[in-house]
Amino acid sequence: MNLVNIKKNNLLKVDIIEIDKKKVEIETQKRINDISNNLNLKGFRSGKAPLTLINKRYKNQFRSEVISEFLNEEIKNYAIKNKTNFVSDPLVTLKDDNETIIFEIKYEVFPKITLNLDKIYVKKVSIEISENDIENEINHIREIYGDWSSIVDEKILEKDKITINISSSEKKNKIIKQSLNRDISIIIDNNNFVIENLKEKLKSCNKIGKYIFFIENTKIVEYETNEKLNIDIKKIERKKKADLNINLAKKLNIAGNDLSKIKNYAITKIEQNTKYITYSLFKNDILEQLIKVHEVDVPNSLFSEEIKKSEENKIEIDKKKILSEIKLKLILREIVSYYNINILEKEINNKLNSLYPNVDSKIRKNMFNSTVIDEIINFLTKKINIEEIKKTLNELVNEGIIK
């Protein structure tokens, strides 16, 4: 086999595979002979059809099957002998079928990547928790576990809960009748609101009662509309912070309902809430640095495959992003191979199946990939340069990292 490199792309290779024609003919005839003894052909007793007729009907079929099997075996042996890892199945073209059967194979190989892990410098943030942070978290806990109490003759505030009935002044408006003409409870906050532009109108109300609002260019359910709405505010509730007592400790499942342990509970909650955020920053920084410090040639077939997926899923095509994602996958693949990192795929899948038995397969795949990356990150922490830095919660809030 003579290997020919294509100069335009050093990942694309062309080679010639030759198959011994005599061996093909011998194997083809053997298979025809094997079936001839039991073959039923119309006009002949079982196993008595002439070989000339059997050859005429079946030789081309069997010959194609034999050539395909021989070719696949040759390609497999070729890959082993040359230590070649195809990016995708080779493109095979028949070049000659005279004295020797000759195929041309075109294929892409994975790029050779020189790892430069010693050039990666990242910062790892750890949180300094102040007494003020603890106090704020305890207040937040008290808000969460507080009880709602009715409010009369007071202006509606952010985070209040109101029970309202919304109807349309337009009798013909079936959307309101079907979707909103019933009592609903709404918490006045910054989340998605049942009707766009209605929140500010409601906050102008100062007591229980009936109101009429004209809301222009609003959105009710998924419909754009201009609406004159009848709003009947039936109830206004405000959450009162839970008292720092044994009842709160009981709600928090604190051992022995020990009130003195609420502070430790608050510290644990802060650590849990910030751990994911700080780890995500650390992880993303490492992944970005991996792309930055490594030169990677991207195989055309991988790029084309991702473009096709985006088109099929009707996702806006961002070629730069796609290239970066492929580069990262290739770098991580090289790290796993070079350092012989043992990724226990079966154990990871079993754990995910146990924790999330009803998760969609696409989400499960993303979770699996994320878990694998976490294992690689854990390994990389021993190979890259890490600067440990401490930050307060207030600093992370000011930097927009924590809201």
Side-chain angles (χ1 to χ4, degrees):
M1 301 178 194
N2 299 315
L3 186 65
V4 181
N5 288 330
I6 302 297
K7 292 182 180 179
K8 291 182 180 179
N9 183 347
N10 57 13
L11 300 180
L12 180 63
K13 311 291 181 184
V14 178
D15 200 1
I16 297 298
I17 286 182
E18 299 178 356
I19 298 175
D20 190 329
K21 195 169 186 176
K22 287 182 180 179
K23 288 183 178 180
V24 170
E25 302 306 334
I26 291 170
E27 179 61 25
T28 301
Q29 198 57 53
K30 178 179 178 298
R31 296 187 184 189
I32 291 173
N33 292 339
D34 288 342
I35 69 163
S36 64
N37 294 328
N38 300 306
L39 185 64
N40 288 315
L41 283 181
K42 190 175 180 180
F44 300 94
R45 286 180 296 166
S46 177
K48 297 300 181 180
L51 274 177
T52 52
L53 183 58
I54 298 173
N55 273 306
K56 186 177 180 180
R57 288 197 181 185
Y58 294 103
K59 184 173 182 179
N60 288 340
Q61 175 189 331
F62 280 117
R63 188 173 188 273
S64 295
E65 290 176 1
V66 170
I67 289 174
S68 178
E69 290 175 16
F70 280 15
L71 177 61
N72 289 336
E73 189 65 25
E74 286 292 337
I75 291 174
K76 181 180 176 182
N77 293 336
Y78 170 81
I80 294 171
K81 181 180 177 182
N82 295 280
K83 297 181 180 178
T84 301
N85 197 348
F86 302 126
V87 173
S88 56
D89 291 336
L91 177 65
V92 179
T93 307
L94 178 63
K95 288 296 183 180
D96 194 1
D97 191 3
N98 294 316
E99 294 181 5
T100 304
I101 304 172
I102 300 175
F103 286 96
E104 178 188 82
I105 61 169
K106 288 183 180 180
Y107 60 91
E108 281 188 299
V109 295
F110 285 97
K112 292 181 179 179
I113 303 173
T114 303
L115 295 176
N116 299 313
L117 301 184
D118 58 325
K119 293 183 180 179
I120 294 178
Y121 293 85
V122 295
K123 293 179 180 179
K124 187 175 184 181
V125 176
S126 59
I127 303 298
E128 286 185 329
I129 301 174
S130 67
E131 288 297 322
N132 188 52
D133 295 330
I134 298 169
E135 185 179 343
N136 289 338
E137 182 61 28
I138 290 175
N139 283 329
H140 180 61
I141 293 167
R142 291 174 63 197
E143 284 181 1
I144 292 173
Y145 289 93
D147 296 318
W148 293 100
S149 57
S150 295
I151 300 295
V152 181
D153 294 335
E154 285 191 40
K155 189 175 181 179
I156 296 173
L157 302 177
E158 199 85 11
K159 297 185 179 180
D160 281 354
K161 180 168 72 173
I162 59 173
T163 301
I164 62 175
N165 184 286
I166 305 174
S167 59
S168 173
S169 298
E170 301 291 334
K171 293 182 180 180
K172 62 182 181 180
N173 196 319
K174 294 181 180 179
I175 302 166
I176 294 291
K177 286 182 179 179
Q178 293 173 0
S179 304
L180 299 174
N181 194 14
R182 64 187 189 278
D183 288 356
I184 54 177
S185 291
I186 302 169
I187 295 177
I188 307 293
D189 58 14
N190 293 322
N191 297 327
N192 292 332
F193 215 67
V194 65
I195 300 179
E196 290 180 0
N197 308 327
L198 179 60
K199 183 173 74 171
E200 294 305 318
K201 297 277 188 181
L202 288 171
K203 286 170 69 176
S204 68
C205 301
N206 56 14
K207 61 180 180 179
I208 294 171
K210 296 183 178 181
Y211 300 84
I212 296 176
F213 295 132
F214 180 75
I215 304 180
E216 194 173 8
N217 298 324
T218 189
K219 190 174 184 181
I220 301 177
V221 192
E222 69 270 27
Y223 302 94
E224 297 289 342
T225 182
N226 293 321
E227 278 299 328
K228 191 175 183 181
L229 301 176
N230 298 318
I231 309 292
D232 185 1
I233 301 178
K234 296 186 171 184
K235 192 176 184 181
I236 304 173
E237 297 174 275
R238 190 165 295 159
K239 217 171 197 183
K240 181 184 176 183
K241 288 182 182 179
D243 292 328
L244 283 171
N245 55 27
I246 292 176
N247 288 332
L248 178 59
K250 189 175 181 179
K251 287 180 180 179
L252 299 176
N253 294 319
I254 292 175
N257 300 329
D258 188 346
L259 193 60
S260 66
K261 293 181 180 178
I262 286 182
K263 180 177 180 179
N264 291 335
Y265 179 90
I267 292 171
T268 301
K269 291 297 291 182
I270 293 171
E271 289 173 342
Q272 289 174 345
N273 293 337
T274 56
K275 183 180 179 181
Y276 173 78
I277 295 171
T278 53
Y279 173 72
S280 294
L281 287 173
F282 178 62
K283 174 180 175 178
N284 292 336
D285 197 6
I286 291 175
L287 298 179
E288 287 173 7
Q289 288 292 316
L290 282 171
I291 296 171
K292 186 176 179 180
V293 304
H294 292 102
E295 290 290 333
V296 182
D297 291 329
V298 173
N300 290 329
S301 56
L302 291 183
F303 182 70
S304 299
E305 185 182 341
E306 292 303 317
I307 292 290
K308 185 179 178 181
K309 284 180 185 177
S310 296
E311 291 173 343
E312 289 174 350
N313 295 320
K314 297 180 180 179
I315 300 172
E316 185 178 350
I317 295 174
D318 185 339
K319 292 184 178 180
K320 188 175 180 180
K321 182 181 178 183
I322 290 173
L323 279 172
S324 293
E325 288 175 349
I326 296 173
K327 285 181 180 180
L328 180 60
K329 288 177 183 177
L330 292 170
I331 295 165
L332 294 175
R333 176 182 178 276
E334 181 64 26
I335 290 170
V336 170
S337 174
Y338 184 84
Y339 290 103
N340 196 28
I341 301 173
N342 188 20
I343 303 295
L344 302 174
E345 295 186 11
K346 188 175 181 180
E347 287 187 14
I348 293 172
N349 276 319
N350 288 341
K351 185 176 180 180
L352 291 176
N353 288 335
S354 173
L355 293 173
Y356 312 101
N358 300 317
V359 170
D360 176 79
S361 59
K362 190 174 180 180
I363 297 174
R364 176 76 55 76
K365 184 178 179 182
N366 290 336
M367 293 168 71
F368 174 84
N369 291 338
S370 181
T371 304
V372 170
I373 291 175
D374 287 340
E375 290 199 15
I376 298 171
I377 293 292
N378 184 51
F379 171 82
L380 289 176
T381 55
K382 306 176 186 69
K383 298 289 182 181
I384 62 177
N385 301 290
I386 300 173
E387 180 186 354
E388 301 272 355
I389 61 172
K390 291 185 178 291
K391 287 192 176 184
T392 64
L393 279 178
N394 193 46
E395 285 176 316
L396 293 180
V397 170
N398 291 337
E399 292 173 13
I401 296 170
I402 295 177
K403 294 181 180 180

